[in-house]
Amino acid sequence: MSLYEDIGGEAAITTVVADFWHRVSTDILLSPWFSTIDSTLLRFHLNAYLTVALDGPESYEGRSMRHAHAGLRITGEAFDLLVVRLGEALSAAGTTPENIKRVDARLSRLRPVIVEIHD
């Protein structure tokens, strides 16, 4: 069974993305990176990206992670906190701690292409 299926498929991803968006858009450290972004479009892309990243059935057709985040001056601290907020949203949706660790491991591979400022 894929990680996507293990965490509950499309319904879970939709719930997690909505909760995650609320968490990052109200977080004092993270919200500045999201304040000028079209939230509907971002959630659409995040939903599609997570589906693919977790071995779901859809294909992601957005920009590469490097291109999408270039020039945003994302810090290591912000990236790490973003992963924590996603873990919180996954937990709130009923994802097991083991599967949250699996998601974290996949996202940690993105750190070198997203983080521009190393703390």
Side-chain angles (χ1 to χ4, degrees), residues 41-116:
L41 184 60
L42 178 71
R43 287 183 295 185
F44 172 80
H45 283 293
L46 183 56
N47 190 309
Y49 177 76
L50 284 175
T51 297
V52 171
L54 304 181
D55 302 324
E58 298 179 22
S59 62
Y60 175 74
E61 296 179 7
R63 296 181 290 170
S64 72
M65 290 297 108
R66 182 179 307 277
H67 185 258
H69 297 89
L72 295 178
R73 302 181 50 80
I74 296 172
T75 64
E77 178 186 20
F79 180 87
D80 295 342
L81 184 54
L82 191 96
V83 172
V84 167
R85 295 292 176 252
L86 181 60
E88 292 169 351
L90 285 161
S91 181
T95 303
T96 65
E98 295 79 21
N99 281 336
I100 292 171
K101 286 179 187 175
R102 290 172 65 196
V103 172
D104 288 353
R106 290 186 186 198
L107 293 179
S108 69
R109 292 183 220 150
L110 294 174
R111 197 175 205 281
V113 300
I114 291 176
V115 172
E116 291 183 326

Side-chain angles (χ1 to χ4, degrees), residues 2-11 13 50-51 54-58:
S2 72
L3 182 52
Y4 175 80
E5 293 167 324
D6 276 352
I7 67 168
E10 181 180 350
I13 293 292
L50 284 175
T51 297
L54 304 181
D55 302 324
E58 298 179 22

